[in-house]
């Protein structure tokens, strides 16, 4: 029981007597398009205590997310298989008020899979087998091949355990447990009548195929495929690091590095060109990875792929435009400068919007709202540095204008002002690069954890 006196005074987990109401007929299970009446001849019991990870890797095969987490924790997703003669005892646990499910699959795509679900229906948990056909809702079996079913629902953590035979030739859709499969672990919301809703985030998927009845192992998995992780990481490197630094260099370091040369050309131009070519290369590689993963166009990614294609097109156009850059004193140079600036600025703005949308997609669902706040922080960081350098450039120009008006020690004062401006900009650029690296590391660390 839980007793609340007022907002900050309450008591939880107060043990009490078992309350029962015998001789009451069970309510009729309402029919639903995605659920069927679940009947079982096996008794269902209540788990008296939570699962534990003892024996993982030595006595039983375990999957944990986060890695090495404790199933007694409110944030741990846990799945274990322990072979006992001709059957396997299975435990499943995780933070969910709706349902938990795992599936055995021959590939890393949903469809044609053997699934097992623990569904919370009005604070009672029903355990059922199901078959996954394509990306449609699972078809629950009317006959249950599971034994020794038990469950527990405490403090938002749903736990269930059951036993099934390694081989079930009489049940269609049940895989033999002595073979190797990819293992999915998903959670989501459920409503009355056993209706389950699509999982809000990508299921946990093992990185390889495993035989759960074989050698005990303690493995993890990822909620984001490796190709999608690489896609996100490369885009962050390109549009948080290389392109941002390249724009700052081109805008504010022409006068600073105008007399420094690298491979026969002005240093600012060579650095800018190198960073922008790196951006084009990273963006191009990253662009094709989702298409390789999906095998085509994704219909479930919202506006993200459309904006991504637009950014890719602008990136290629910018590269081609730079290839036809007229000489500095050519009549069309001013027109080129305007197109070059407007195309690059549009691409950068759309890239940031695209990253905002991509971070919340199921395939790359970064921790929310941490990802949004961090991205906002990066945008604010870039804008503040840009504004600071603009103000500094304006103040430097005003200072030079005053010196020219006074006509006193003009050459010496101009040299002094130029040196002062060079030192300030180099310090700001160093700080900006360090800040960008911090943001980049934060995003890459988050991608590596999902």
């Amino acid at each position: 029981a839980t007793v609340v006196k007022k907002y900050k005074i309450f008591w939880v987990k107060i043990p009490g007597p078992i309350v029962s109401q015998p001789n009451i007929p069970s309510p009729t299970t309402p029919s639903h398009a995605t659920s069927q009446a679940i009947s079982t001849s096996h008794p269902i019991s209540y788990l008296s205590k939570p699962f534990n990870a003892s024996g993982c890797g030595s006595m039983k095969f375990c999957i944990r997310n986060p890695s090495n987490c404790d199933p007694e924790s409110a944030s741990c997703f846990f799945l274990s298989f322990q072979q006992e003669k001709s059957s396997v005892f299975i435990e499943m646990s995780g933070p969910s008020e709706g349902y938990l499910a795992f599936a055995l699959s021959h590939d890393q795509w949903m469809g044609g899979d053997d699934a097992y679900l623990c569904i919370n229906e009005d604070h009672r948990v029903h355990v059922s087998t199901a078959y996954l056909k394509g990306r449609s809702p699972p078809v629950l079996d009317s006959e249950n091949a599971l034994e020794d079913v038990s469950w527990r629902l405490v403090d938002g953590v749903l736990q269930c355990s059951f036993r099934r035979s390694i081989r079930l030739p009489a049940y269609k859709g049940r895989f033999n447990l002595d073979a190797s499969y990819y293992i999915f672990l998903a959670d989501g919301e459920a409503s009355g009548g056993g209706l389950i809703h699509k999982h809000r985030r990508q299921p946990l998927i093992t990185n390889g195929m495993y035989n759960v009845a074989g050698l005990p192992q303690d493995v993890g998995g990822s909620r984001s495929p490796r190709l999608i992780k690489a896609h996100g990481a490369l885009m962050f490197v390109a549009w948080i690091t290389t392109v941002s630094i390249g724009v700052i260099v081109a805008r504010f370091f022409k006068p600073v590095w105008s007399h420094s040369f690298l491979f026969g050309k002005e240093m600012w131009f060579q650095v800018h060109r190198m960073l922008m070519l790196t951006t084009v290369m990273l963006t191009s590689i990253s662009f094709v990875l989702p298409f390789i993963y999906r095998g085509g166009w994704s219909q479930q990614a919202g506006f993200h792929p459309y904006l991504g294609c637009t950014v890719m097109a602008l990136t290629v156009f910018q590269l081609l435009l730079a290839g036809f850059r007229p000489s500095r004193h050519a009549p069309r140079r001013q027109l080129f400068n305007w197109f070059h600036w407007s195309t690059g600025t549009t691409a950068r703005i759309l890239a940031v919007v695209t990253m905002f949308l991509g971070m919340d997609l199921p395939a790359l669902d970064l921790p929310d709202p941490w990802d949004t706040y961090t991205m906002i922080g990066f945008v604010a960081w870039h804008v503040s540095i840009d504004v600071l350098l603009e103000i500094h450039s304006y103040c430097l120009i005003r200072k030079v204008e005053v010196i020219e008006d006074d006509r006193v020690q003009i050459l010496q004062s101009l040299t002094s002002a130029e040196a002062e401006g060079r030192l300030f900009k180099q310090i700001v650029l160093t700080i900006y690069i360090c800040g960008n690296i911090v943001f980049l590391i934060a995003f890459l660390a988050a991608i590596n954890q999902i």
Side-chain angles (χ1 to χ4, degrees):
T2 297
V3 178
V4 180
K5 182 176 181 181
K6 51 186 175 180
Y7 182 70
K8 291 186 177 181
I9 301 177
F10 55 87
W11 298 264
V12 298
K13 298 183 180 179
I14 301 174
I18 297 176
V19 179
S20 63
Q21 194 173 9
N23 303 322
I24 298 298
S26 300
T28 303
T29 304
S31 59
H32 200 279
T34 60
S35 67
Q36 300 177 15
I38 303 171
S39 62
T40 176
S41 58
H42 307 296
I44 298 177
S45 63
Y46 184 80
L47 291 167
S48 59
K49 58 182 181 179
F51 302 142
N52 60 74
S54 61
C56 284
S58 59
M59 298 177 60
K60 55 186 178 182
F61 185 99
C62 296
I63 299 171
R64 292 191 272 177
N65 179 250
S67 298
N68 301 318
C69 66
D70 188 343
E72 295 187 25
S73 168
S75 60
C76 181
F77 287 91
F78 176 79
L79 179 63
S80 73
F81 303 84
Q82 185 171 5
Q83 184 177 0
E84 300 175 353
K85 296 182 180 180
S86 61
S87 65
V88 173
F89 185 70
I90 301 169
E91 298 174 325
M92 182 163 49
S93 171
S96 177
E97 297 285 357
Y99 72 91
L100 285 174
F102 81 88
L104 306 175
S105 178
H106 296 290
D107 52 35
Q108 292 184 299
W109 292 96
M110 180 179 173
D113 308 324
D114 180 11
Y116 301 81
L117 299 93
C118 299
I119 307 171
N120 176 17
E121 294 187 36
D122 298 326
H123 304 288
R124 291 187 63 84
V125 177
H126 293 286
V127 182
S128 177
T129 55
Y131 180 74
L132 299 181
K133 186 177 181 180
R135 301 179 67 88
S136 57
V139 180
L140 303 184
D141 295 331
S142 57
E143 295 185 2
N144 211 332
L146 309 179
E147 301 176 348
D148 298 338
V149 177
S150 299
W151 62 271
R152 187 173 188 266
L153 183 61
V154 177
D155 295 338
V157 177
L158 193 160
Q159 297 187 321
C160 62
S161 64
F162 50 89
R163 184 189 313 278
R164 66 145 281 189
S165 298
I166 293 178
R167 293 176 177 269
L168 291 171
Y171 292 87
K172 184 180 179 181
R174 304 283 74 79
F175 294 176
N176 295 331
L177 296 183
D178 53 359
S180 296
Y181 307 99
Y182 288 102
I183 304 170
F184 291 57
L185 182 59
D187 66 288
E189 297 181 354
S191 54
L195 170 65
I196 67 172
H197 302 278
K198 180 183 177 182
H199 44 79
R200 289 185 174 180
R201 56 178 175 170
Q202 189 87 351
L204 177 75
I205 306 174
T206 57
N207 294 323
M209 301 179 75
Y210 295 97
N211 181 353
V212 298
L215 183 68
Q217 297 184 61
D218 190 2
V219 303
S222 175
R223 292 188 181 273
S224 179
R226 290 177 180 176
L227 287 177
I228 301 300
K229 281 186 177 183
H231 168 75
L234 292 176
M235 285 299 186
F236 280 129
V237 172
W239 294 95
I240 282 184
T241 308
T242 57
V243 75
S244 301
I245 298 172
V247 168
I248 292 290
V249 168
R251 177 138 182 89
F252 298 105
F253 281 78
K254 287 182 183 179
V256 175
W257 292 340
S258 59
H259 303 297
S260 301
F261 292 87
L262 185 65
F263 301 116
K265 291 189 176 291
E266 294 175 335
M267 185 174 174
W268 73 266
F269 176 75
Q270 293 287 51
V271 172
H272 173 74
R273 180 162 65 178
M274 177 187 67
L275 290 172
M276 291 310 178
L277 287 175
T278 303
T279 300
V280 173
M281 179 185 67
L282 293 175
T283 303
S284 301
I285 295 172
S286 177
F287 179 77
V288 301
L289 295 181
F291 291 97
I292 296 174
Y293 170 70
R294 292 290 183 186
W297 185 266
S298 174
Q299 300 291 340
Q300 301 178 344
F303 290 105
H304 177 79
Y306 296 98
L307 291 176
C309 290
T310 304
V311 171
M312 187 71 246
L314 290 173
T315 303
V316 173
F317 178 74
Q318 184 78 324
L319 178 65
L320 296 175
L321 191 64
F324 294 95
R325 180 174 63 100
S327 61
R328 181 172 298 177
H329 302 292
R332 292 177 295 175
R333 181 57 181 257
Q334 199 68 22
L335 184 63
F336 164 81
N337 290 341
W338 187 89
F339 270 110
H340 190 61
W341 174 87
S342 59
T343 303
T345 302
T346 303
R348 289 168 60 211
I349 293 173
L350 289 180
V352 170
V353 175
T354 306
M355 286 191 289
F356 266 110
L357 296 176
M359 290 187 301
D360 290 328
L361 290 176
L364 188 66
D365 188 11
L366 295 176
D368 191 61
W370 174 92
D371 56 347
T372 302
Y373 293 152
T374 305
M375 197 66 192
I376 292 174
F378 163 72
V379 173
W381 169 252
H382 177 78
V383 171
S384 62
I385 292 295
D386 205 324
V387 170
L388 177 63
L389 289 174
E390 285 284 2
I391 293 174
H392 175 262
S393 297
Y394 174 78
C395 293
L396 202 61
I397 292 171
R398 291 294 300 160
K399 185 176 181 178
V400 171
E401 288 176 352
V402 171
I403 292 172
E404 288 180 340
D405 289 342
D406 291 344
R407 303 291 180 182
V408 179
Q409 297 179 341
I410 297 176
L411 294 177
Q412 181 181 356
S413 300
L414 285 173
T415 304
S416 175
E418 183 180 339
E420 177 188 338
R422 181 184 296 112
L423 178 62
F424 179 83
K425 287 180 179 178
Q426 288 175 345
I427 292 174
V428 172
L429 179 63
T430 302
I431 295 173
Y432 179 70
I433 292 174
C434 293
N436 280 33
I437 292 174
V438 170
F439 280 107
L440 180 62
I441 291 174
F443 280 117
L444 294 182
I447 289 175
N448 187 55
Q449 291 298 318
I450 57 178

